């Protein structure tokens, strides 16, 4: 069986959208204490481009999560494998996610973070697959809405592979 990647979003399309998101966040967070919380591992590529598109002093922290799911399906039971390095009380948090699929992971993280008394919590996601939503989550900054296909690249993996592909693609088997 062979695998090939079909392009869904090109490197150029992603770069242009990430620049727009960064400019919007720069406007919205002028007088705030911005902390980008990067949800590992999938968001590391998106976050590294996004943070360089934001022209503000900011802090970056990382959150490791593991979702107990069957295959490619999220269960919504999220285990924190690496917690933030500092408290977020009185800070303006943006959670940076690669993709919101069922919405269960982000819903869980919003609930968790609210117990830590930040001044605000918003969500920035590169991708959204509304067809598979199980809970409704507000995405404050969204890159692209995509159809219901399993995508890889630009940080996203399939069984830990393809994270380094510089565009977003769909794996096809033949
Ligand atoms: P959710 O809890 O179902 O919203 O899923 C969130 C996580 O599942 C994402 O942060 C990804 O790590 C992973 N995921 C969901 N859909 C895809 C996909 O199409 N490709 C790669 N990872 C995905
Ligand atoms: Mg993720």
């Amino acid at each position: 069986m062979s695998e090939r990647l079909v392009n869904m979003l090109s490197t150029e399309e992603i770069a242009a959208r990430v620049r727009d998101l960064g400019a919007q966040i720069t406007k919205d967070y002028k007088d705030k204490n911005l902390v980008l919380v990067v949800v590992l591992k999938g968001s590391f590529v998106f976050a590294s481009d996004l943070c360089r598109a934001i022209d503000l002093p900011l802090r970056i922290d990382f959150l490791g999560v593991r979702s107990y799911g069957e295959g490619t399906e999220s269960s919504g039971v999220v285990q924190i494998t690496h917690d933030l390095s500092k408290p977020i009380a009185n800070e303006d948090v943006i959670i940076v996610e690669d993709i919101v699929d069922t919405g269960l992971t982000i819903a869980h993280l919003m609930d968790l973070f609210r117990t830590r008394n930040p001044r605000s919590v918003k969500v920035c996601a590169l991708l959204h697959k509304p067809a598979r939503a199980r809970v409704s989550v507000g995405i404050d900054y969204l890159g692209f809405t995509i159809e219901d296909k399993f995508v890889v690249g630009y940080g996203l993996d399939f069984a830990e592979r393809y994270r380094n592909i510089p565009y977003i693609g769909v794996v096809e088997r033949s």
Side-chain angles (χ1 to χ4, degrees):
M1 200 159 73
S2 71
E3 276 179 12
R4 70 185 188 106
L5 271 193
V6 178
N7 196 320
M8 181 188 264
L9 295 166
S10 71
T11 303
E12 293 73 23
E13 283 174 281
I14 298 168
R17 195 72 193 101
V18 172
R19 270 198 302 276
D20 291 348
L21 292 172
Q24 190 61 52
I25 292 170
T26 302
K27 260 195 212 144
D28 296 350
Y29 282 77
K30 278 240 150 11
D31 303 308
K32 302 196 168 162
N33 302 322
L34 178 57
V35 183
L36 297 181
V37 170
V38 182
V39 183
L40 297 172
K41 297 177 204 169
S43 306
F44 83 105
V45 176
F46 174 41
S48 70
D49 285 340
L50 180 69
C51 73
R52 287 176 289 176
I54 301 173
D55 185 17
L56 290 175
L58 54 79
R59 208 158 69 68
I60 301 179
D61 211 338
F62 299 93
L63 188 75
V65 301
R66 183 183 297 140
S67 148
Y68 289 119
E70 301 268 311
T72 57
E73 178 77 20
S74 164
S75 65
V77 181
V78 178
Q79 184 194 9
I80 306 295
T81 57
H82 174 91
D83 205 345
L84 300 178
S85 66
K86 276 183 144 193
I88 51 171
N90 299 315
E91 301 202 81
D92 297 295
V93 174
I94 298 182
I95 303 176
V96 180
E97 258 288 32
D98 48 0
I99 183 165
V100 176
D101 185 29
T102 63
L104 294 168
T105 302
I106 208 74
H108 180 93
L109 295 183
M110 294 292 281
D111 287 348
L112 172 71
F113 282 6
R114 286 202 187 100
T115 67
R116 299 183 181 187
N117 304 311
R119 194 155 68 180
S120 62
V121 184
K122 293 202 170 176
V123 175
C124 177
L126 179 68
L127 305 172
H128 183 213
K129 264 194 241 176
R132 286 170 41 90
R134 300 224 345 239
V135 286
S136 91
V137 289
I139 303 174
D140 304 281
Y141 302 95
L142 175 63
F144 303 91
T145 298
I146 60 167
E147 53 182 311
D148 187 8
K149 295 224 163 114
F150 195 82
V151 291
V152 297
Y154 200 68
L156 290 107
D157 73 306
F158 174 59
E160 293 300 325
R161 289 164 55 217
Y162 300 111
R163 291 196 197 275
N164 60 320
I165 300 295
Y167 57 90
I168 303 276
V170 180
V171 183
E172 283 198 350
R173 296 215 177 85
S174 51

